[in-house]
Amino acid sequence: MTKQYPNDLMGLSHEEYDMAVGIMGRTPNHLELGIFSVMWSEHCSYKSSKKWLKTLPTKAPWVICGPGENAGVIDIGDGQAAIFKMESHNHPSFIEPYQGAATGVGGILRDVFTMGARPVANMNALRFGSPDHPKTRHLVAGVVRGIGGYGNCVGVPTVGGEVNFHPSYNGNILVNAMTVGVARTDKIFYSAAAGIGNSVVYVGSKTGRDGIHGATMASAEFTDDSEEKRPTVQVGDPFTEKLLIEACLELMETDVIVAIQDMGAAGLTSSSFEMASKGGMGIELELDRVPMRETGMTPYELMLSESQERMLMILKPGEEHVAEAIFRKWELDFAIIGRLTDTGRMVLKWNGEVAGDLPIDPLALAAPEYDRPWVPTPPPAPLGDVPAPKDYAAALKTLMSCPDVASRRWIWEQYDHLVMNDTMQRPGGDAAVVRVADMKKALAITTDCTPRYCYADPVQGGRQAVAETWRNLNSVGARPLAITDNMNFGNPQRPEIMGQFVGCIQGMAEACRALDYPVVSGNVSLYNETNGKGILPTPAIGGVGLLDDLDHMATVALKRAGDVLILIGAVENHHGGHLGQSLYLREVLGREEGPPPPVVLAAERRDGDFVREQIRAGRVDTCHDLSDGGLAIAVAEMALGGNLGATIQVPADTPAHAWLFGEDQGRYLLAVPEQAEAAILIDARKADVPAIVIGTVGGNDLTATGYYTISLPELRHAHEDWLPAYMAAPR
């Protein structure tokens, strides 16, 4: 006889449904099945990725708390900690770009301040489809407005980020949001519930019907009916979030909190189960006590709603009045909705009757964990002949105005990046720099990934994503400390996609170990595909570093006529740069092929340490790492940043187009006073660091002798006009 299953398994497979029945010892009711569905969703349980995430390095002497909490925590000295994480809101942002992006920002803010940190900076990593796709302008406009609308209103500066365009994201954009906060090391709060009989307290906004089954929606690929999923997108209120931040931080100055947890994905379900499981407790909830903003809500809706700006707390007995007074002062809801028990079970009551009764650990800890079949990505065919451009100046302008290099000013001018008055570097540099209030030290923050490299060779791409954030932090003079990651991939049930994930993890792990740069938090977003077409593998990396002294900080902008340009790091060989998977190949020649540039981790470590020490010693105040578009693009960006021209000399024995546009890794360009040149070159020889003088600063043009001369106004026009013109075109 064929086994009968419910018509709606809410995203569970038949095998998972059978597991749920076995755990319950009976058929789950509708509410209980919904809880299994969200707790065992890919978004909440990481069932396809846990096996591989465990291979990442997560420890260092400065790591206070690695993965497993709301966010990662690192020691930054002086009794202070940086708390940070990156998280995705991809599917919601494709369906409803403004609210999807806005609530992504709100959610990551809560992950950080729930641990006791005041948020000091927001970042983002965005990927959109081809500019000529009919939905791209609409999605860019909505996402940017959503990020700015929420971040600006809540009063936390958005200090940087990255944006890519590629047809693989036509049906599934990526919106990854990152927040960094600062806390005292003796005031860090965790989520493990404790104390039989202690109150379970709900604070923040009322619960509505928005976002129900959002976690399940985020754990499935899109089809042509994705627009119908709009009700699963949450609605945010940044003004309430600001009140919630201040109320929580005020309460954290008292001594009444036992545990605290953001209600994020899966809402009240995930937060209550995780808190209880971490503490080895049971919970009994009176769901009719949950503050509601809509009439007629059911226990199912209350447990699965992902309404925003809500927190769950465990308070010390007899101290509830202290918390209530604070939250009432800030005009926020406060309700005691349950208590801790010693049963290890979640008992859900509705008007005094039991509506659901589930064991906690089997849902929170024993979710299915899959060892998905995977195949390694075949190595790309060697790159054939790559011709030089007929017009080098035209090639440079093409690259400077292409969607992946063109100025993002149109985007970041919509963000308040100066609020709080601690932003020391505005968007547009290698890394954002945010002063730690009232101190000379600062945090450097960056996000980066090169998806086309990851697609061609996931291992090299994973290495490069980590190494580029390392270089970005070094380039401003910061000591890189740790990363958070956002692993964005397609359907893990396809072995080739799972192979991309595995390869990127392997490359990331190698780079993190070689650079002493551990992973302390992160997020996995799978099933980013529509009708079987997946995105490019995109392991976005957020890096955080520490500048001990803001007086020794570098920026990308050229500063003085007469400065000498010194290139640090070697090209692939002494006869030309690496053009496989380069933007030159794609944008100028219309080809996407070849292997990505190799990442030599020992050289990355050696050369990055050297550059950072030169900045910290006060010899270098102008530095830029080389990445998309190679040396020519780096020089152009430095020239535009300082409104100063430069002249560079192409070596005689080198193919000029490879030397100018090759994307060899591990390289930095310094601009230093002539009197500092000799000392830097001597230090480089002593450290076995490749270093050569390639040109000088001055004038109003950018020149590669014998190949092009282009005026700065003409170059600025190419660089800065594309995005505003694109967004102003009819949609």
Side-chain angles (χ1 to χ4, degrees):
M1 180 182 294
T2 303
K3 184 179 290 188
Q4 296 296 309
Y5 291 96
N7 291 330
D8 183 6
L9 290 176
M10 303 184 191
L12 296 175
S13 67
H14 286 170
E15 294 78 10
E16 290 168 349
Y17 179 80
D18 290 339
M19 286 177 61
V21 171
I23 287 169
M24 295 291 289
R26 58 176 171 80
T27 300
N29 64 29
H30 183 68
L31 168 61
E32 293 163 342
L33 185 60
I35 289 172
F36 271 98
S37 169
V38 294
M39 289 296 292
W40 287 3
S41 68
E42 194 74 61
H43 193 72
C44 290
S45 73
Y46 292 4
K47 57 192 176 187
S48 297
S49 57
K50 273 190 287 191
K51 168 185 169 67
W52 297 102
L53 295 176
K54 293 173 184 176
T55 66
L56 292 169
T58 60
K59 296 180 179 179
W62 52 88
V63 174
I64 295 173
C65 179
E69 270 293 340
N70 288 289
V73 187
I74 57 173
D75 194 323
I76 59 171
D78 305 303
Q80 294 173 310
I83 300 181
F84 61 98
K85 187 183 180 184
M86 186 189 289
E87 197 159 74
S88 63
H89 235 220
N90 302 335
H91 285 56
S93 298
F94 182 79
I95 296 169
E96 213 306 297
Y98 183 93
Q99 288 296 349
T103 52
V105 173
I108 197 63
L109 282 165
R110 290 193 299 279
D111 279 339
V112 167
F113 74 74
T114 194
M115 296 196 70
R118 177 169 291 280
V120 299
N122 288 331
M123 298 280 284
N124 52 75
L126 311 177
R127 266 84 192 183
F128 297 103
S130 173
D132 59 10
H133 189 273
K135 288 195 70 171
T136 299
R137 278 190 193 86
H138 161 73
L139 291 168
V140 172
V143 165
V144 171
R145 284 193 304 110
I147 291 170
Y150 204 100
N152 296 352
C153 292
V154 85
V156 176
T158 301
V159 294
E162 55 168 341
V163 184
N164 288 146
F165 295 84
H166 191 275
S168 75
Y169 305 107
N170 282 348
N172 211 126
I173 65 172
L174 302 184
V175 175
N176 297 168
M178 178 178 174
T179 293
V180 182
V182 175
R184 287 165 33 197
T185 54
D186 62 349
K187 281 284 185 178
I188 296 171
F189 292 82
Y190 298 97
S191 58
I196 297 169
N198 281 355
S199 296
V200 179
V201 174
Y202 171 117
V203 298
S205 288
K206 290 179 169 61
T207 296
R209 291 188 170 96
D210 54 319
I212 292 173
H213 266 297
T216 308
M217 177 269 290
S219 304
E221 65 180 85
F222 282 151
T223 58
D224 292 328
D225 66 352
S226 62
E227 292 292 336
E228 298 174 8
K229 297 178 179 178
R230 196 175 298 271
T232 63
V233 178
Q234 311 91 327
V235 177
D237 179 354
F239 298 104
T240 299
E241 181 101 341
K242 174 61 174 173
L243 299 178
L244 188 59
I245 291 173
E246 299 304 330
C248 286
L249 293 178
E250 181 176 339
L251 183 62
M252 287 166 174
E253 290 300 315
T254 69
D255 190 32
V256 306
I257 297 175
V258 175
I260 182 170
Q261 174 80 28
D262 163 43
M263 286 193 224
L268 184 55
T269 291
S270 183
S271 55
S272 59
F273 271 86
E274 289 177 5
M275 292 179 82
S277 180
K278 288 177 182 177
M281 307 296 295
I283 287 188
E284 185 175 291
L285 296 180
E286 303 278 354
L287 294 178
D288 46 297
R289 297 183 183 178
V290 172
M292 302 172 223
R293 70 166 180 258
E294 300 183 48
T295 58
M297 292 193 71
T298 65
Y300 178 90
E301 293 170 330
L302 292 168
M303 288 300 292
L304 272 63
S305 168
E306 294 184 8
S307 293
Q308 297 292 285
E309 295 89 38
R310 302 180 301 157
M311 311 285 281
L312 200 63
M313 298 181 176
I314 309 299
L315 300 180
K316 290 184 177 179
E319 301 291 344
E320 293 87 352
H321 67 285
V322 176
E324 183 170 11
I326 290 172
F327 282 91
R328 298 292 185 209
K329 182 186 81 171
W330 289 100
E331 299 181 346
L332 295 166
D333 277 284
F334 176 97
I336 299 172
I337 64 168
R339 64 184 184 90
L340 296 182
T341 69
D342 62 357
T343 64
R345 300 188 69 83
M346 178 70 65
V347 178
L348 306 171
K349 292 187 175 180
W350 182 247
N351 295 326
E353 301 292 328
V354 174
D357 186 348
L358 307 97
I360 288 171
D361 280 349
L363 274 92
L365 298 179
E369 183 172 334
Y370 296 122
D371 186 1
R372 300 279 191 198
W374 64 278
V375 294
T377 300
L383 187 63
D385 180 58
V386 179
K390 295 178 180 178
D391 183 333
Y392 276 85
L396 177 60
K397 286 196 290 185
T398 295
L399 288 172
M400 288 295 285
S401 63
C402 79
D404 277 1
V405 176
S407 169
R408 274 45 176 148
R409 182 183 297 274
W410 181 89
I411 294 174
W412 59 257
E413 284 189 341
Q414 297 185 52
Y415 303 153
D416 189 339
H417 47 273
L418 297 177
V419 66
M420 300 177 74
N421 202 36
D422 285 318
T423 304
M424 298 292 103
Q425 286 202 31
R426 299 186 181 200
D430 285 323
V433 177
V434 178
R435 176 175 54 201
V436 178
D438 302 320
M439 304 191 78
K440 291 196 72 173
K441 69 183 180 183
L443 295 173
I445 311 160
T446 186
T447 61
D448 234 309
C449 179
T450 310
R452 64 184 186 275
Y453 293 175
C454 296
Y455 181 76
D457 184 335
V459 176
Q460 288 288 0
R463 288 178 191 147
Q464 192 273 342
V466 172
E468 187 163 351
T469 67
W470 158 270
R471 290 196 298 274
N472 289 340
L473 298 174
N474 287 326
S475 294
V476 300
R479 177 167 60 95
L481 292 175
I483 69 169
T484 182
D485 60 52
N486 208 142
M487 308 295 291
N488 306 275
F489 291 79
N491 186 341
Q493 296 177 59
R494 292 202 281 143
E496 65 275 19
I497 299 296
M498 197 65 210
Q500 293 173 349
F501 182 89
V502 172
C504 285
I505 287 281
Q506 289 173 339
M508 289 165 55
E510 292 171 6
C512 288
R513 290 190 178 93
L515 302 176
D516 207 12
Y517 192 36
V519 182
V520 297
S521 60
N523 174 249
V524 176
S525 176
L526 302 177
Y527 296 96
N528 288 290
E529 54 183 77
T530 298
N531 295 327
K533 295 181 180 179
I535 62 166
L536 295 181
T538 311
I541 305 296
V544 174
L546 181 67
L547 282 92
D548 296 315
D549 186 350
L550 276 165
D551 289 340
H552 293 163
M553 175 183 74
T555 66
V556 302
L558 298 179
K559 298 175 179 64
R560 295 165 295 270
D563 273 6
V564 176
L565 295 173
I566 300 177
L567 179 63
I568 301 294
V571 293
E572 183 180 47
N573 55 62
H574 295 297
H575 303 288
H578 186 101
L579 290 171
Q581 297 298 327
S582 66
L583 285 185
Y584 172 80
L585 194 70
R586 189 180 82 189
E587 299 295 331
V588 177
L589 302 180
R591 295 160 55 183
E592 291 186 70
E593 58 189 271
V599 179
V600 182
L601 293 169
E604 288 278 4
R605 181 67 185 261
R606 177 198 64 206
D607 298 352
D609 287 348
F610 172 80
V611 168
R612 184 175 65 254
E613 288 308 314
Q614 293 296 315
I615 296 170
R616 293 176 67 173
R619 288 182 176 149
V620 175
D621 63 2
T622 307
C623 178
H624 194 8
D625 86 305
L626 274 60
S627 55
D628 284 345
L631 175 63
I633 298 302
V635 178
E637 290 172 340
M638 295 171 79
L640 291 179
N643 203 31
L644 269 173
T647 299
I648 58 176
Q649 307 292 333
V650 179
D653 62 344
T654 299
H657 64 300
W659 191 78
L660 289 167
F661 304 123
E663 296 182 6
D664 305 77
Q665 297 296 293
R667 298 187 297 161
Y668 304 79
L669 188 59
L670 315 180
V672 304
E674 189 175 6
Q675 59 268 28
E677 173 193 337
I680 292 172
L681 293 177
I682 290 170
D683 283 356
R685 281 195 296 270
K686 289 178 180 177
D688 198 26
V689 169
I692 58 170
V693 174
I694 65 163
T696 56
V697 175
N700 298 310
D701 300 324
L702 198 62
T703 298
T705 303
Y707 294 94
Y708 60 78
T709 294
I710 182 169
S711 72
L712 292 186
E714 186 179 359
L715 192 65
R716 191 178 302 281
H717 171 74
H719 186 52
E720 295 199 352
D721 287 1
W722 178 78
L723 188 54
Y726 172 72
M727 294 307 298
R731 294 180 196 170

